[in-house]
Every structure is written in C-alpha cells, then in structure tokens.
mmCIF file of all heavy atoms in Angstrom:
data_model
loop_
_atom_site.group_PDB
_atom_site.id
_atom_site.type_symbol
_atom_site.label_atom_id
_atom_site.label_comp_id
_atom_site.label_asym_id
_atom_site.label_seq_id
_atom_site.Cartn_x
_atom_site.Cartn_y
_atom_site.Cartn_z
ATOM 1 N N MET A 1 0.696 11.966 10.521
ATOM 2 C CA MET A 1 -0.144 11.136 9.670
ATOM 3 C C MET A 1 -1.235 11.990 9.018
ATOM 4 O O MET A 1 -1.486 11.889 7.827
ATOM 5 C CB MET A 1 -0.750 9.949 10.440
ATOM 6 C CG MET A 1 0.291 8.950 10.798
ATOM 7 S SD MET A 1 -0.373 7.398 11.474
ATOM 8 C CE MET A 1 -1.065 7.903 13.035
ATOM 9 N N SER A 2 -1.891 12.852 9.795
ATOM 10 C CA SER A 2 -2.934 13.700 9.283
ATOM 11 C C SER A 2 -2.332 14.630 8.190
ATOM 12 O O SER A 2 -2.974 14.870 7.174
ATOM 13 C CB SER A 2 -3.538 14.566 10.372
ATOM 14 O OG SER A 2 -4.244 13.747 11.271
ATOM 15 N N GLU A 3 -1.193 15.183 8.456
ATOM 16 C CA GLU A 3 -0.549 16.132 7.505
ATOM 17 C C GLU A 3 -0.222 15.521 6.168
ATOM 18 O O GLU A 3 -0.207 16.219 5.123
ATOM 19 C CB GLU A 3 0.744 16.708 8.120
ATOM 20 C CG GLU A 3 0.431 17.688 9.251
ATOM 21 C CD GLU A 3 1.681 18.134 10.004
ATOM 22 O OE1 GLU A 3 2.801 17.669 9.676
ATOM 23 O OE2 GLU A 3 1.513 18.948 10.934
ATOM 24 N N VAL A 4 0.067 14.189 6.093
ATOM 25 C CA VAL A 4 0.355 13.562 4.831
ATOM 26 C C VAL A 4 -0.877 13.035 4.114
ATOM 27 O O VAL A 4 -0.794 12.469 2.990
ATOM 28 C CB VAL A 4 1.425 12.443 4.914
ATOM 29 C CG1 VAL A 4 2.724 13.001 5.510
ATOM 30 C CG2 VAL A 4 0.981 11.279 5.726
ATOM 31 N N GLY A 5 -2.070 13.146 4.744
ATOM 32 C CA GLY A 5 -3.325 12.742 4.044
ATOM 33 C C GLY A 5 -3.961 11.505 4.577
ATOM 34 O O GLY A 5 -4.908 10.973 3.993
ATOM 35 N N ILE A 6 -3.484 11.002 5.733
ATOM 36 C CA ILE A 6 -4.163 9.830 6.366
ATOM 37 C C ILE A 6 -5.293 10.367 7.232
ATOM 38 O O ILE A 6 -5.070 11.171 8.125
ATOM 39 C CB ILE A 6 -3.150 8.998 7.220
ATOM 40 C CG1 ILE A 6 -2.043 8.446 6.355
ATOM 41 C CG2 ILE A 6 -3.882 7.882 7.926
ATOM 42 C CD1 ILE A 6 -0.908 7.863 7.111
ATOM 43 N N VAL A 7 -6.531 10.010 6.919
ATOM 44 C CA VAL A 7 -7.670 10.535 7.618
ATOM 45 C C VAL A 7 -8.196 9.612 8.735
ATOM 46 O O VAL A 7 -8.800 10.106 9.678
ATOM 47 C CB VAL A 7 -8.846 10.907 6.663
ATOM 48 C CG1 VAL A 7 -8.431 12.001 5.689
ATOM 49 C CG2 VAL A 7 -9.303 9.681 5.853
ATOM 50 N N ASP A 8 -7.880 8.347 8.653
ATOM 51 C CA ASP A 8 -8.260 7.446 9.723
ATOM 52 C C ASP A 8 -7.359 6.190 9.638
ATOM 53 O O ASP A 8 -6.907 5.875 8.562
ATOM 54 C CB ASP A 8 -9.733 7.046 9.624
ATOM 55 C CG ASP A 8 -10.257 6.418 10.899
ATOM 56 O OD1 ASP A 8 -9.602 6.516 11.958
ATOM 57 O OD2 ASP A 8 -11.358 5.877 10.869
ATOM 58 N N MET A 9 -7.151 5.551 10.749
ATOM 59 C CA MET A 9 -6.351 4.386 10.808
ATOM 60 C C MET A 9 -6.874 3.501 11.965
ATOM 61 O O MET A 9 -7.188 4.008 13.041
ATOM 62 C CB MET A 9 -4.891 4.704 11.042
ATOM 63 C CG MET A 9 -3.948 3.499 11.097
ATOM 64 S SD MET A 9 -2.259 3.972 11.488
ATOM 65 C CE MET A 9 -1.824 4.734 9.924
ATOM 66 N N GLU A 10 -6.917 2.223 11.693
ATOM 67 C CA GLU A 10 -7.235 1.219 12.760
ATOM 68 C C GLU A 10 -6.229 0.131 12.658
ATOM 69 O O GLU A 10 -5.749 -0.266 11.582
ATOM 70 C CB GLU A 10 -8.647 0.640 12.533
ATOM 71 C CG GLU A 10 -9.780 1.664 12.663
ATOM 72 C CD GLU A 10 -11.114 1.031 12.381
ATOM 73 O OE1 GLU A 10 -11.219 -0.204 12.186
ATOM 74 O OE2 GLU A 10 -12.123 1.797 12.356
ATOM 75 N N ILE A 11 -5.827 -0.414 13.872
ATOM 76 C CA ILE A 11 -4.914 -1.542 13.877
ATOM 77 C C ILE A 11 -5.596 -2.666 14.686
ATOM 78 O O ILE A 11 -6.119 -2.396 15.780
ATOM 79 C CB ILE A 11 -3.580 -1.179 14.500
ATOM 80 C CG1 ILE A 11 -2.889 -0.079 13.711
ATOM 81 C CG2 ILE A 11 -2.651 -2.388 14.681
ATOM 82 C CD1 ILE A 11 -1.561 0.451 14.305
ATOM 83 N N TYR A 12 -5.587 -3.852 14.122
ATOM 84 C CA TYR A 12 -6.157 -5.039 14.756
ATOM 85 C C TYR A 12 -5.033 -6.016 15.088
ATOM 86 O O TYR A 12 -4.033 -6.058 14.362
ATOM 87 C CB TYR A 12 -7.190 -5.694 13.846
ATOM 88 C CG TYR A 12 -8.406 -4.795 13.620
ATOM 89 C CD1 TYR A 12 -8.378 -3.841 12.606
ATOM 90 C CD2 TYR A 12 -9.550 -4.926 14.370
ATOM 91 C CE1 TYR A 12 -9.469 -2.991 12.360
ATOM 92 C CE2 TYR A 12 -10.672 -4.128 14.144
ATOM 93 C CZ TYR A 12 -10.585 -3.176 13.143
ATOM 94 O OH TYR A 12 -11.670 -2.357 12.926
ATOM 95 N N LEU A 13 -5.242 -6.821 16.090
ATOM 96 C CA LEU A 13 -4.291 -7.779 16.542
ATOM 97 C C LEU A 13 -4.867 -9.181 16.582
ATOM 98 O O LEU A 13 -6.001 -9.364 17.063
ATOM 99 C CB LEU A 13 -3.760 -7.394 17.965
ATOM 100 C CG LEU A 13 -2.842 -8.375 18.702
ATOM 101 C CD1 LEU A 13 -1.492 -8.440 17.980
ATOM 102 C CD2 LEU A 13 -2.699 -7.951 20.124
ATOM 103 N N PHE A 14 -4.139 -10.111 16.036
ATOM 104 C CA PHE A 14 -4.461 -11.558 16.172
ATOM 105 C C PHE A 14 -3.154 -12.238 16.480
ATOM 106 O O PHE A 14 -2.232 -12.223 15.674
ATOM 107 C CB PHE A 14 -5.076 -12.144 14.905
ATOM 108 C CG PHE A 14 -5.346 -13.603 15.050
ATOM 109 C CD1 PHE A 14 -6.379 -14.125 15.792
ATOM 110 C CD2 PHE A 14 -4.482 -14.544 14.466
ATOM 111 C CE1 PHE A 14 -6.604 -15.482 15.961
ATOM 112 C CE2 PHE A 14 -4.652 -15.896 14.606
ATOM 113 C CZ PHE A 14 -5.708 -16.358 15.339
ATOM 114 N N ASP A 15 -3.074 -12.854 17.680
ATOM 115 C CA ASP A 15 -1.816 -13.505 18.098
ATOM 116 C C ASP A 15 -0.716 -12.457 18.099
ATOM 117 O O ASP A 15 -0.745 -11.487 18.855
ATOM 118 C CB ASP A 15 -1.523 -14.740 17.276
ATOM 119 C CG ASP A 15 -0.477 -15.663 17.854
ATOM 120 O OD1 ASP A 15 -0.345 -15.715 19.118
ATOM 121 O OD2 ASP A 15 0.198 -16.326 17.099
ATOM 122 N N ASN A 16 0.284 -12.620 17.235
ATOM 123 C CA ASN A 16 1.344 -11.588 17.169
ATOM 124 C C ASN A 16 1.356 -10.949 15.769
ATOM 125 O O ASN A 16 2.340 -10.310 15.361
ATOM 126 C CB ASN A 16 2.715 -12.186 17.482
ATOM 127 C CG ASN A 16 3.187 -13.217 16.437
ATOM 128 O OD1 ASN A 16 2.411 -13.967 15.932
ATOM 129 N ND2 ASN A 16 4.495 -13.147 16.163
ATOM 130 N N ARG A 17 0.254 -11.013 15.076
ATOM 131 C CA ARG A 17 0.054 -10.452 13.733
ATOM 132 C C ARG A 17 -0.821 -9.205 13.810
ATOM 133 O O ARG A 17 -1.915 -9.265 14.350
ATOM 134 C CB ARG A 17 -0.501 -11.470 12.771
ATOM 135 C CG ARG A 17 -0.900 -10.967 11.448
ATOM 136 C CD ARG A 17 0.295 -10.541 10.594
ATOM 137 N NE ARG A 17 0.974 -11.658 10.019
ATOM 138 C CZ ARG A 17 2.065 -11.527 9.326
ATOM 139 N NH1 ARG A 17 2.576 -10.364 9.094
ATOM 140 N NH2 ARG A 17 2.658 -12.594 8.799
ATOM 141 N N LEU A 18 -0.297 -8.112 13.278
ATOM 142 C CA LEU A 18 -1.089 -6.882 13.205
ATOM 143 C C LEU A 18 -1.641 -6.679 11.835
ATOM 144 O O LEU A 18 -1.038 -7.065 10.788
ATOM 145 C CB LEU A 18 -0.193 -5.654 13.536
ATOM 146 C CG LEU A 18 0.406 -5.610 14.885
ATOM 147 C CD1 LEU A 18 1.398 -4.437 15.026
ATOM 148 C CD2 LEU A 18 -0.614 -5.567 16.012
ATOM 149 N N PHE A 19 -2.850 -6.104 11.752
ATOM 150 C CA PHE A 19 -3.551 -5.766 10.541
ATOM 151 C C PHE A 19 -3.955 -4.285 10.634
ATOM 152 O O PHE A 19 -4.655 -3.950 11.599
ATOM 153 C CB PHE A 19 -4.743 -6.682 10.321
ATOM 154 C CG PHE A 19 -5.634 -6.305 9.168
ATOM 155 C CD1 PHE A 19 -5.186 -6.411 7.866
ATOM 156 C CD2 PHE A 19 -6.895 -5.796 9.413
ATOM 157 C CE1 PHE A 19 -5.967 -6.037 6.826
ATOM 158 C CE2 PHE A 19 -7.700 -5.421 8.362
ATOM 159 C CZ PHE A 19 -7.269 -5.558 7.025
ATOM 160 N N MET A 20 -3.541 -3.509 9.686
ATOM 161 C CA MET A 20 -3.897 -2.082 9.671
ATOM 162 C C MET A 20 -4.797 -1.724 8.555
ATOM 163 O O MET A 20 -4.636 -2.182 7.412
ATOM 164 C CB MET A 20 -2.609 -1.254 9.542
ATOM 165 C CG MET A 20 -2.854 0.281 9.383
ATOM 166 S SD MET A 20 -1.382 1.136 8.794
ATOM 167 C CE MET A 20 -0.254 0.990 10.141
ATOM 168 N N ILE A 21 -5.807 -0.892 8.870
ATOM 169 C CA ILE A 21 -6.661 -0.326 7.830
ATOM 170 C C ILE A 21 -6.374 1.197 7.852
ATOM 171 O O ILE A 21 -6.499 1.809 8.911
ATOM 172 C CB ILE A 21 -8.167 -0.569 8.125
ATOM 173 C CG1 ILE A 21 -8.421 -2.088 8.143
ATOM 174 C CG2 ILE A 21 -9.013 0.153 7.064
ATOM 175 C CD1 ILE A 21 -9.852 -2.389 8.642
ATOM 176 N N MET A 22 -5.947 1.691 6.707
ATOM 177 C CA MET A 22 -5.551 3.114 6.624
ATOM 178 C C MET A 22 -6.413 3.775 5.541
ATOM 179 O O MET A 22 -6.321 3.372 4.355
ATOM 180 C CB MET A 22 -4.058 3.187 6.277
ATOM 181 C CG MET A 22 -3.484 4.554 6.239
ATOM 182 S SD MET A 22 -1.680 4.481 6.019
ATOM 183 C CE MET A 22 -1.519 4.200 4.239
ATOM 184 N N ASP A 23 -7.205 4.732 5.947
ATOM 185 C CA ASP A 23 -8.023 5.481 4.985
ATOM 186 C C ASP A 23 -7.332 6.854 4.721
ATOM 187 O O ASP A 23 -6.916 7.478 5.714
ATOM 188 C CB ASP A 23 -9.449 5.679 5.530
ATOM 189 C CG ASP A 23 -10.213 4.378 5.587
ATOM 190 O OD1 ASP A 23 -9.914 3.463 4.819
ATOM 191 O OD2 ASP A 23 -11.119 4.250 6.439
ATOM 192 N N THR A 24 -7.316 7.257 3.494
ATOM 193 C CA THR A 24 -6.572 8.495 3.096
ATOM 194 C C THR A 24 -7.428 9.346 2.238
ATOM 195 O O THR A 24 -8.474 8.928 1.684
ATOM 196 C CB THR A 24 -5.277 8.113 2.325
ATOM 197 O OG1 THR A 24 -5.666 7.579 1.034
ATOM 198 C CG2 THR A 24 -4.460 7.091 3.100
ATOM 199 N N VAL A 25 -6.994 10.589 2.022
ATOM 200 C CA VAL A 25 -7.632 11.475 1.086
ATOM 201 C C VAL A 25 -7.553 10.885 -0.350
ATOM 202 O O VAL A 25 -6.662 10.094 -0.638
ATOM 203 C CB VAL A 25 -6.946 12.883 1.096
ATOM 204 C CG1 VAL A 25 -7.134 13.535 2.441
ATOM 205 C CG2 VAL A 25 -5.453 12.790 0.718
ATOM 206 N N PRO A 26 -8.479 11.194 -1.215
ATOM 207 C CA PRO A 26 -8.539 10.605 -2.547
ATOM 208 C C PRO A 26 -7.284 10.778 -3.400
ATOM 209 O O PRO A 26 -6.906 9.885 -4.128
ATOM 210 C CB PRO A 26 -9.716 11.265 -3.235
ATOM 211 C CG PRO A 26 -10.562 11.793 -2.111
ATOM 212 C CD PRO A 26 -9.607 12.127 -0.963
ATOM 213 N N GLU A 27 -6.596 11.884 -3.211
ATOM 214 C CA GLU A 27 -5.398 12.178 -4.045
ATOM 215 C C GLU A 27 -4.087 11.636 -3.441
ATOM 216 O O GLU A 27 -3.020 11.856 -3.871
ATOM 217 C CB GLU A 27 -5.262 13.633 -4.262
ATOM 218 C CG GLU A 27 -5.036 14.529 -3.070
ATOM 219 C CD GLU A 27 -6.319 14.886 -2.309
ATOM 220 O OE1 GLU A 27 -7.409 14.390 -2.608
ATOM 221 O OE2 GLU A 27 -6.179 15.674 -1.350
ATOM 222 N N PHE A 28 -4.221 10.758 -2.384
ATOM 223 C CA PHE A 28 -3.102 10.198 -1.680
ATOM 224 C C PHE A 28 -2.196 9.412 -2.588
ATOM 225 O O PHE A 28 -2.671 8.539 -3.326
ATOM 226 C CB PHE A 28 -3.638 9.325 -0.532
ATOM 227 C CG PHE A 28 -2.633 8.834 0.470
ATOM 228 C CD1 PHE A 28 -2.215 9.665 1.510
ATOM 229 C CD2 PHE A 28 -2.090 7.607 0.356
ATOM 230 C CE1 PHE A 28 -1.357 9.185 2.471
ATOM 231 C CE2 PHE A 28 -1.222 7.124 1.278
ATOM 232 C CZ PHE A 28 -0.791 7.919 2.358
ATOM 233 N N ASP A 29 -0.938 9.694 -2.552
ATOM 234 C CA ASP A 29 0.068 8.863 -3.283
ATOM 235 C C ASP A 29 0.870 8.167 -2.190
ATOM 236 O O ASP A 29 1.602 8.796 -1.447
ATOM 237 C CB ASP A 29 0.971 9.756 -4.136
ATOM 238 C CG ASP A 29 2.067 8.934 -4.822
ATOM 239 O OD1 ASP A 29 1.840 8.425 -5.926
ATOM 240 O OD2 ASP A 29 3.136 8.770 -4.258
ATOM 241 N N HIS A 30 0.729 6.851 -2.094
ATOM 242 C CA HIS A 30 1.282 6.102 -0.980
ATOM 243 C C HIS A 30 2.771 6.312 -0.852
ATOM 244 O O HIS A 30 3.288 6.621 0.274
ATOM 245 C CB HIS A 30 0.949 4.589 -1.139
ATOM 246 C CG HIS A 30 1.450 3.774 -0.006
ATOM 247 N ND1 HIS A 30 2.692 3.220 0.007
ATOM 248 C CD2 HIS A 30 0.823 3.427 1.158
ATOM 249 C CE1 HIS A 30 2.874 2.588 1.178
ATOM 250 N NE2 HIS A 30 1.751 2.669 1.855
ATOM 251 N N ASP A 31 3.559 6.115 -1.906
ATOM 252 C CA ASP A 31 5.023 6.154 -1.797
ATOM 253 C C ASP A 31 5.538 7.550 -1.380
ATOM 254 O O ASP A 31 6.366 7.654 -0.476
ATOM 255 C CB ASP A 31 5.664 5.716 -3.086
ATOM 256 C CG ASP A 31 5.437 4.251 -3.373
ATOM 257 O OD1 ASP A 31 5.017 3.488 -2.472
ATOM 258 O OD2 ASP A 31 5.632 3.849 -4.551
ATOM 259 N N SER A 32 4.998 8.599 -1.995
ATOM 260 C CA SER A 32 5.487 9.947 -1.626
ATOM 261 C C SER A 32 5.019 10.299 -0.202
ATOM 262 O O SER A 32 5.744 10.968 0.554
ATOM 263 C CB SER A 32 5.044 10.963 -2.647
ATOM 264 O OG SER A 32 3.688 11.106 -2.721
ATOM 265 N N ALA A 33 3.782 9.911 0.175
ATOM 266 C CA ALA A 33 3.308 10.212 1.524
ATOM 267 C C ALA A 33 4.137 9.532 2.596
ATOM 268 O O ALA A 33 4.438 10.119 3.653
ATOM 269 C CB ALA A 33 1.823 9.835 1.642
ATOM 270 N N MET A 34 4.509 8.269 2.336
ATOM 271 C CA MET A 34 5.305 7.530 3.299
ATOM 272 C C MET A 34 6.730 8.128 3.433
ATOM 273 O O MET A 34 7.272 8.229 4.539
ATOM 274 C CB MET A 34 5.367 6.041 2.971
ATOM 275 C CG MET A 34 4.067 5.302 3.099
ATOM 276 S SD MET A 34 3.351 5.281 4.738
ATOM 277 C CE MET A 34 2.111 6.505 4.621
ATOM 278 N N ALA A 35 7.270 8.585 2.315
ATOM 279 C CA ALA A 35 8.572 9.275 2.347
ATOM 280 C C ALA A 35 8.482 10.571 3.154
ATOM 281 O O ALA A 35 9.356 10.866 3.942
ATOM 282 C CB ALA A 35 9.050 9.511 0.942
ATOM 283 N N GLU A 36 7.395 11.316 2.941
ATOM 284 C CA GLU A 36 7.170 12.541 3.692
ATOM 285 C C GLU A 36 6.949 12.271 5.180
ATOM 286 O O GLU A 36 7.539 12.997 6.045
ATOM 287 C CB GLU A 36 5.960 13.309 3.109
ATOM 288 C CG GLU A 36 5.709 14.659 3.754
ATOM 289 C CD GLU A 36 4.471 15.366 3.209
ATOM 290 O OE1 GLU A 36 3.995 14.991 2.143
ATOM 291 O OE2 GLU A 36 4.009 16.264 3.906
ATOM 292 N N LEU A 37 6.213 11.256 5.465
ATOM 293 C CA LEU A 37 5.951 10.861 6.840
ATOM 294 C C LEU A 37 7.186 10.562 7.598
ATOM 295 O O LEU A 37 7.394 10.941 8.757
ATOM 296 C CB LEU A 37 4.928 9.690 6.937
ATOM 297 C CG LEU A 37 4.534 9.256 8.354
ATOM 298 C CD1 LEU A 37 3.744 10.306 9.086
ATOM 299 C CD2 LEU A 37 3.680 7.978 8.232
#
C-alpha cells in the first residue's frame, strides 16, 4: 500500500458494514494504483 502511494488508511466498523478512509499522495491515480497493488 505504501509503495503505490497510500500514506494512511483507517477502517471503521458498524454492524457488518466497513467504512475505509484512505489518504494518498497528491499525484495518486486511483485506478492505476489499485491495478499495481
């Protein structure tokens, strides 16, 4: 995750639903980073 530009991540839980907050470097391209990950 760090190598593709994710600098911090938090996951929260309510019942059986997860909520993620993902902070990335400013030049982060979501689709290409997820493919690389």
Side-chain angles (χ1 to χ4, degrees):
M1 289 190 293
S2 293
E3 289 172 358
V4 301
I6 299 169
V7 295
D8 197 12
M9 180 183 288
E10 296 178 5
I11 299 175
Y12 295 84
L13 172 69
F14 176 76
D15 193 30
N16 67 322
R17 171 66 79 183
L18 297 175
F19 172 69
M20 174 196 292
I21 301 171
M22 184 173 80
D23 293 332
T24 69
V25 295
E27 63 277 8
F28 190 83
D29 177 88
H30 183 271
D31 293 344
S32 62
M34 293 298 101
E36 183 183 342
L37 182 63

